[in-house]
Amino acid sequence: MSKNKIYPFAVASVRSMENKLLSKQKLMQMAEAGGVEEAVRLLSDTVYGKKQIKDAHEFEDMIESHIEETYQAVADLIPSEALIDIFLYKNDYHNIKVLIKEEISKVNAKKLLVKGGTIPIEKLEKNFRERNYAEMPVIDGKAVEEAISLYAKTKNGRYIDTVLDKACFSAMATRAAEMNNEFVKKYVSMLADITNLKTALRIAKTNRSFQMFEDAFVEGGTIRLDIFAKAFQDESLVSVLKDTAYGSLCEQYMDKGFIVFEKACDDYLMEYIKTAKYKTLTPEPVIAYILAKETEAKCVRIILTCKMHNIDAEIIKERMREVYV
């Protein structure tokens, strides 16, 4: 992508679409609802309400339908550019993991497949069954075969996730480099770092080995594997990680538990995404809108899932992520 390329119509359109993003006030209103049915009714009054559901517990259909519509709307603004593909790879890799696990378990898992990837679900299913990786170049065929092989040897499903997560981040990093967009490249690098930080905390808190972390470590970030190795050898991850670019994040939140740290990480990314607000003609606002929508959807899922389990409104509010608007 040329650095000089501008997108005045796309950016103007996205600015208009931003007006329909859910405000923090709206999300808090949903959090304070009397139950999941009331919360879903409140959601139905927004852009998510285009998808009608018969049962409040089917709220995932509303979310998935709206996010798919969002991806398509943004793609239509810049039809000649595969601008948003990099943010859809995670859906492709999620689906390939589902298909592998379905093949292994012989249990139908179609309800776990998600729309919104770069490869239509039907095409992905067909090509996976035929092991026709040439028809789905986003998917690393070697990684798929490695994941299947490791599972056959260990009967441990985590290898399916770790091997394909690595492949997904590799695909994202490659695509980011091709785009020649500093905003995207930095975001992908930050996402890799934060993914590794969260993984490190989860593994350390459960007293599991550094080897397990190394298996899950994704490339593309600024924190090298040897730095994490040193952190695992120390009494505290923070004592080593405080000297990285994420020092403040680690020092303030890492010792407060995984749920708190995970939220802080998401908010950290959102603060970076918000820098796109100051761009006018370049693609950053378009990219930021997609990421803002994904964060919004995560907030909606948190609220409605908590409501299903009768979790107190104040606890839900504490788990809310920072929103774009």
Side-chain angles (χ1 to χ4, degrees):
M1 180 187 298
S2 170
K3 288 184 178 180
N4 298 319
K5 198 162 189 177
I6 59 174
Y7 302 84
F9 175 75
V11 172
S13 299
V14 161
R15 294 299 189 205
S16 176
M17 292 158 70
E18 285 175 3
N19 294 327
K20 295 181 180 179
L21 284 167
L22 302 188
S23 65
K24 192 166 187 178
Q25 181 182 3
K26 184 68 174 181
L27 293 170
M28 291 301 103
Q29 187 181 6
M30 288 174 61
E32 293 170 353
V36 67
E37 289 81 7
E38 183 182 342
V40 169
R41 280 198 299 273
L42 290 169
L43 184 65
S44 296
D45 293 335
T46 71
V47 287
Y48 287 81
K50 288 184 180 180
K51 174 70 175 181
Q52 297 297 311
I53 56 175
K54 295 180 181 179
D55 188 317
H57 294 79
E58 298 173 357
F59 63 79
E60 186 60 42
D61 290 343
M62 291 179 69
I63 299 171
E64 186 178 325
S65 175
H66 180 59
I67 292 300
E68 182 185 6
E69 180 184 315
T70 297
Y71 290 144
Q72 188 57 57
V74 173
D76 288 345
L77 291 175
I78 315 174
S80 62
E81 296 279 5
L83 184 65
I84 67 170
D85 284 2
I86 191 171
F87 306 105
L88 308 184
Y89 291 168
K90 63 182 180 299
N91 294 332
D92 292 320
Y93 273 88
H94 166 84
N95 287 337
I96 207 73
K97 287 191 283 187
V98 169
L99 293 174
I100 291 172
K101 293 174 184 178
E102 180 183 64
E103 182 176 271
I104 289 168
S105 67
K106 310 299 182 187
V107 176
N108 190 306
K110 290 191 185 299
K111 65 180 181 179
L112 299 177
L113 296 170
V114 299
K115 296 179 181 178
T118 64
I119 308 170
I121 290 175
E122 297 77 11
K123 181 179 179 181
L124 190 67
E125 287 181 296
K126 178 179 182 293
N127 289 319
F128 171 69
R129 285 194 304 270
E130 298 172 355
R131 299 298 195 265
N132 187 356
Y133 299 118
E135 289 298 316
M136 41 182 186
V138 170
I139 301 299
D140 184 339
K142 290 182 179 179
V144 173
E145 295 302 323
E146 180 186 355
I148 294 172
S149 176
L150 282 171
Y151 177 81
K153 293 175 182 176
T154 65
K155 303 303 179 186
N156 191 330
R158 77 178 175 88
Y159 288 110
I160 297 171
D161 293 323
T162 56
V163 170
L164 291 171
D165 285 344
K166 285 173 178 282
C168 182
F169 269 93
S170 177
M172 290 176 69
T174 299
R175 179 71 184 110
E178 292 171 352
M179 289 176 69
N180 195 26
N181 181 287
E182 293 304 317
F183 179 85
V184 172
K185 285 194 281 190
K186 185 174 180 181
Y187 174 79
V188 171
S189 177
M190 290 172 65
L191 185 62
D193 279 329
I194 281 177
T195 297
N196 287 329
L197 287 170
K198 290 192 287 188
T199 300
L201 181 61
R202 186 186 297 111
I203 289 174
K205 288 296 184 183
T206 51
N207 297 313
R208 289 179 287 176
S209 68
F210 173 72
Q211 180 60 55
M212 183 171 285
F213 172 79
E214 187 173 5
D215 290 342
F217 177 79
V218 299
E219 300 284 352
T222 61
I223 310 177
R224 303 186 312 273
L225 182 61
D226 64 289
I227 295 175
F228 280 106
K230 184 179 178 182
F232 269 81
Q233 291 169 0
D234 207 274
E235 290 184 5
S236 167
L237 292 176
V238 177
S239 62
V240 174
L241 296 174
K242 66 181 177 63
D243 294 325
T244 69
Y246 304 87
S248 177
L249 179 68
C250 294
E251 285 188 293
Q252 289 185 60
Y253 301 103
M254 203 168 231
D255 289 333
K256 294 183 179 180
F258 185 76
I259 291 177
V260 172
F261 185 65
E262 185 178 41
K263 176 189 181 304
C265 285
D266 288 347
D267 290 347
Y268 186 92
L269 282 172
M270 179 52 70
E271 286 305 310
Y272 174 69
I273 293 166
K274 285 182 177 180
T275 63
K277 288 183 177 181
Y278 307 105
K279 307 291 183 179
T280 54
L281 300 176
T282 52
E284 284 86 345
V286 180
I287 296 163
Y289 177 74
I290 297 166
L291 298 173
K293 265 296 176 187
E294 291 182 346
T295 298
E296 176 186 272
K298 177 180 277 191
C299 289
V300 171
R301 285 189 178 98
I302 289 171
I303 293 170
L304 297 180
T305 301
C306 287
K307 284 296 175 186
M308 281 179 60
H309 294 90
N310 299 312
I311 294 175
D312 185 76
E314 292 308 311
I315 295 176
I316 299 175
K317 290 177 184 179
E318 289 174 4
R319 296 180 182 178
M320 277 299 92
R321 272 51 176 170
E322 187 66 30
V323 293
Y324 189 68
V325 293

